[in-house]
């Protein structure tokens, strides 16, 4: 089954404690992204990757890091989480740009206290 | 810069009523793509439809229909004879055709639809 898998689904952490949210896709897609969803703002792109070792900032990259060492994996790293990073996070992959729909993971609800 | 506006934050209807969700977009590109996604209470994002900027033909899929009007930069979504299972947040999104920039989907703020029995 074609899917994007995120872990964990839920996470509560304390300010400043480094965390990683994993994302893996089994569709051999080149393009992967991370989005955060906040009420009234929809989804906003954090970072994206067009292929292995190729990543770039999206609209809201501050406080986040990513890496793309393998095609299937695209982890999101919060080196020093803060309460304003409390949000619902989605990983997405696409076979290409433009007309291709994005496939989304199940989401990770992160709370930073 | 691209922008998608969903002015309706929440719509409440009684089952079997029709409901129309508005989506207005802004882009400078001549070639672009519009999408609708559904987010049910379980939280996942489900792709519903894609429309390219050169195709203004309306589309119907079961109880769902979409009206794309380039002249007004709108891509509205109608649910006919709504059902409780249609209760969800619906997102409109825009993607341009350029290789790098096109990797991003620009989302509207979403419209929560509540269908009461």
């Amino acid at each position: 089954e074609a899917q994007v898998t995120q872990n964990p689904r839920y996470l509560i952490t304390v300010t400043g404690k480094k965390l990683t949210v994993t994302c893996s896709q089994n569709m051999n897609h080149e393009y992967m992204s991370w989005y955060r969803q906040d009420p009234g703002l929809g989804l906003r792109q954090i970072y994206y990757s067009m292929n292995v070792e190729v990543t770039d900032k999206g609209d809201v990259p501050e406080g986040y890091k990513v890496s793309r060492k393998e095609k299937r994996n695209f982890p999101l790293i919060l080196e020093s989480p803060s309460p304003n990073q409390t949000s619902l996070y989605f990983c997405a992959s696409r076979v290409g740009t433009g007309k291709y729909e994005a496939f989304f993971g199940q989401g990770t609800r992160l709370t930073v206290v | 810069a691209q922008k998608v506006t969903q002015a309706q934050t929440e719509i409440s209807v009684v089952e079997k009523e029709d409901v129309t969700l508005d989506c207005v977009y802004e882009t400078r590109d001549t070639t672009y793509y519009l999408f609708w996604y559904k987010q049910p209470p379980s939280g996942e994002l489900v792709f519903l439809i894609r429309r390219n900027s050169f195709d203004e033909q309306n589309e119907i899929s079961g109880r769902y229909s979409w009206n794309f009007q380039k002249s007004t930069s709108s891509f509205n979504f109608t649910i006919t004879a709504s059902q409780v299972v249609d209760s969800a947040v619906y997102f409109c999104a825009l993607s341009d055709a350029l290789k790098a920039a096109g990797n991003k989907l620009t989302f509207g703020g979403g419209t929560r639809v509540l269908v009461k029995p």
Side-chain angles (χ1 to χ4, degrees):
Chain A
E1 181 189 354
Q3 58 186 9
V4 179
T5 304
Q6 287 178 236
N7 281 297
R9 292 289 310 277
Y10 303 92
L11 180 59
I12 300 174
T13 190
V14 296
T15 299
K17 186 177 181 181
K18 181 179 179 179
L19 67 91
T20 299
V21 184
T22 63
C23 173
S24 181
Q25 50 97 0
N26 63 0
M27 294 169 280
N28 202 37
H29 287 172
E30 288 189 353
Y31 298 88
M32 298 185 74
S33 293
W34 276 101
Y35 292 85
R36 61 177 287 173
Q37 180 182 348
D38 300 290
L41 298 178
L43 282 79
R44 294 176 293 167
Q45 192 184 55
I46 303 170
Y47 266 94
Y48 67 92
S49 170
M50 292 190 285
N51 213 325
V52 175
E53 303 292 0
V54 181
T55 64
D56 206 349
K57 297 176 180 178
D59 294 326
V60 288
E62 293 76 23
Y64 304 95
K65 284 176 58 177
V66 294
S67 69
R68 188 93 180 270
K69 293 183 171 58
E70 304 165 285
K71 197 171 187 177
R72 63 184 292 126
N73 295 324
F74 190 45
L76 178 69
I77 303 157
L78 284 72
E79 296 257 349
S80 183
S82 62
N84 64 13
Q85 292 178 299
T86 293
S87 187
L88 178 59
Y89 291 86
F90 286 97
C91 179
S93 75
R94 296 171 85 178
V95 66
T97 59
K99 68 180 181 181
Y100 298 99
E101 73 268 27
F103 292 81
F104 288 88
Q106 292 289 87
T108 296
R109 185 166 292 281
L110 172 66
T111 302
V112 184
V113 298
Chain B
Q2 297 181 331
K3 185 178 180 181
V4 177
T5 302
Q6 295 179 254
Q8 306 145 309
T9 54
E10 185 165 325
I11 301 174
S12 181
V13 297
V14 176
E15 206 168 20
K16 297 183 183 176
E17 287 183 344
D18 297 347
V19 56
T20 296
L21 284 60
D22 298 331
C23 172
V24 175
Y25 62 91
E26 297 175 27
T27 179
R28 294 179 181 174
D29 302 299
T30 56
T31 302
Y32 51 88
Y33 300 87
L34 295 160
F35 302 81
W36 277 95
Y37 282 85
K38 174 182 180 181
Q39 185 178 46
S42 51
E44 73 272 22
L45 287 157
V46 179
F47 166 73
L48 294 178
I49 192 172
R50 164 187 50 243
R51 177 49 49 94
N52 73 53
S53 55
F54 295 110
D55 183 3
E56 291 197 63
Q57 191 170 13
N58 291 336
E59 184 154 344
I60 298 174
S61 176
R63 296 183 296 105
Y64 294 171
S65 62
W66 291 269
N67 182 293
F68 174 42
Q69 292 195 328
K70 204 167 180 177
S71 60
T72 56
S73 297
S74 65
F75 186 41
N76 297 338
F77 172 32
T78 297
I79 303 172
T80 302
S82 60
Q83 300 176 2
V84 173
V85 293
D86 296 324
S87 296
V89 180
Y90 292 86
F91 291 99
C92 181
L94 169 68
S95 175
D96 71 28
L98 294 175
K99 186 174 175 66
N103 184 56
K104 181 176 74 174
L105 290 171
T106 299
F107 284 83
T111 298
R112 182 179 300 277
V113 174
L114 177 60
V115 182
K116 300 176 182 176

